[in-house]
């Protein structure tokens, strides 16, 4: 296996780890330490009140999710760049149905569009559009309680299709659970309140610790403004990929993102924007020996509730 092939293989793994979520048996998410997923760090100023979702039966929320991503993997003698220039997902959530424990609703990507730069080769432009369209009709069913804690979730048949890229699907799932449906503290809170949600993510054998930290900046009725910081960190570990003839050892794997969320407690979707970077230092071993590889990634994501604009 050549060093360039190793780098190309590593890019796939790196992108998967940058935004991890759930797909069938290939990944899992668990609450770190078990129990309540939310830890209140500071209650904030008086007056204080509980934050709770109040989703009415039949609620439907439409939104757009835009994201871009660039990943550069380098060794001493090779480099490979992977770029997602821009993808917009038109998402429909609902109609909501009340359950004994909370609310249940479907989430579906009605249409996925690629941002095609002007002057791009027509054949390449068509490839971008075709790649984005793979996500059309991907979705699933979610049940959550009034604090936004997921009680049950299941992907639809389209999402389970082998042609749907796992790296994009996992990014979408984790981004939405972090930014679009924020988990809320059990306690009453006021302005300046801070809380965090910790979870352990496992994907293809890699274990990654993620911490989502939220700060309550403003509240007007059932609309809440939050600042959010997301951090990911993986301890040194080694995972074998026998099908690819690779073994990957992690020396450093970190990611950080910062953003802002406009949370509507009466809607199934929130408005949010976040940007971040990831840094990985790994050793990739194959039949031809080992290579030390550094992976740098930059990403941006934006979610817009479009229901009010219709």
């Amino acid at each position: 296996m050549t060093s360039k092939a190793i780098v190309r293989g590593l890019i796939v793994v790196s992108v998967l780890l940058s935004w991890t979520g759930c797909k069938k048996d290939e990944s899992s998410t668990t609450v770190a330490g078990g129990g309540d997923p939310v830890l209140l760090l500071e209650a904030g100023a008086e007056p204080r009140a509980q934050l709770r979702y109040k989703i009415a039966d039949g609620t439907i929320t439409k939104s757009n999710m835009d994201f871009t991503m660039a990943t550069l993997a380098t060794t001493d003698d090779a480099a490979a760049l992977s770029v997602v220039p821009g993808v917009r997902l038109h998402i429909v959530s609902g109609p909501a149905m009340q359950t004994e424990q909370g609310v249940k609703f479907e989430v579906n990507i009605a249409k996925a569009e690629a941002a095609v730069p002007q002057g791009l080769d027509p054949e390449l432009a068509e490839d971008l559009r075709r790649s984005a369209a793979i996500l059309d009709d991907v979705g699933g069913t979610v049940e959550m309680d009034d604090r936004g804690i997921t009680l049950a979730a299941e992907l639809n048949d389209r999402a389970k299709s082998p042609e749907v890229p796992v790296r994009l699907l996992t990014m979408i799932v984790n981004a939405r659970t972090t930014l679009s449906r924020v988990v809320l503290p059990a306690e009453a809170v006021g302005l300046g309140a801070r809380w965090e949600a910790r979870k352990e993510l496992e994907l293809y054998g890699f274990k990654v610790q993620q911490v989502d930290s939220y700060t309550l900046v403003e509240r007007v009725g059932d609309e809440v403004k939050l600042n959010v910081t997301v951090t990911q960190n993986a301890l040194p570990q080694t995972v074998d990929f026998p099908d690819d003839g690779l073994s990957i050892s992690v020396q450093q794997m970190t990611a950080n993102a910062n953003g802002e969320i406009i949370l509507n407690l009466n809607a199934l979707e929130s408005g949010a924007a976040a940007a971040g970077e990831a840094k990985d230092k790994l050793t990739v071993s194959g039949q031809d020996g080992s290579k030390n590889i550094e992976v740098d990634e930059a990403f941006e994501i934006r979610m817009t509730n479009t229901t009010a604009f219709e």
Side-chain angles (χ1 to χ4, degrees), residues 286-308:
Q287 293 178 353
D288 295 340
S290 299
K291 286 285 185 180
N292 292 321
I293 297 181
E294 290 193 9
V295 182
D296 294 280
E297 183 177 70
F299 50 86
E300 293 184 2
I301 186 166
R302 180 177 296 274
M303 300 178 183
T304 307
N305 185 333
T306 61
T307 304

Side-chain angles (χ1 to χ4, degrees), residues 99-129:
T99 67
E100 292 183 1
Q101 295 178 296
V103 63
K104 185 176 183 179
F105 54 96
E106 292 186 357
V107 181
N108 288 290
I109 298 174
K111 186 176 179 58
E113 298 177 313
V116 179
Q118 287 187 344
L120 190 67
D121 176 79
E123 186 174 343
L124 182 55
E126 183 58 30
D127 286 342
L128 288 174
R129 295 189 184 97

Side-chain angles (χ1 to χ4, degrees), residues 54-63 91-97 103-108 110 264 266-270 305-310:
K54 294 174 284 185
I55 310 297
D57 263 335
T59 296
I60 297 176
T61 307
K62 298 180 180 180
S63 64
I91 298 173
V92 179
S93 296
M97 179 179 66
V103 63
K104 185 176 183 179
F105 54 96
E106 292 186 357
V107 181
N108 288 290
N264 186 337
N266 299 314
L268 296 171
E269 303 289 341
S270 304
N305 185 333
T306 61
T307 304
F309 302 136
E310 295 185 342

Side-chain angles (χ1 to χ4, degrees), residues 6-7 22 47 117 155 161 181 237:
I6 291 176
V7 172
C22 297
L155 297 172
S161 170
R181 290 189 293 274
Q237 56 192 287

Side-chain angles (χ1 to χ4, degrees), residues 149-168:
I149 297 172
T150 300
L151 305 174
E154 184 174 352
L155 297 172
N156 63 14
D157 290 340
R158 178 59 183 163
K160 297 174 183 177
S161 170
E163 68 177 3
V164 175
V166 178
R167 60 182 181 180
L168 289 180

Side-chain angles (χ1 to χ4, degrees), residues 128-187:
L128 288 174
R129 295 189 184 97
R130 192 181 302 112
S131 297
I134 290 174
L135 292 172
D136 289 353
D137 300 320
V138 165
T141 303
V142 178
E143 184 180 6
M144 69 177 192
D145 66 13
D146 61 0
R147 290 177 53 201
I149 297 172
T150 300
L151 305 174
E154 184 174 352
L155 297 172
N156 63 14
D157 290 340
R158 178 59 183 163
K160 297 174 183 177
S161 170
E163 68 177 3
V164 175
V166 178
R167 60 182 181 180
L168 289 180
L169 183 60
T170 54
M171 185 208 72
I172 293 166
V173 171
N174 194 44
R176 291 177 61 75
T177 56
T178 299
L179 299 174
S180 186
R181 290 189 293 274
V182 175
V183 289
L184 305 172
E187 301 87 349

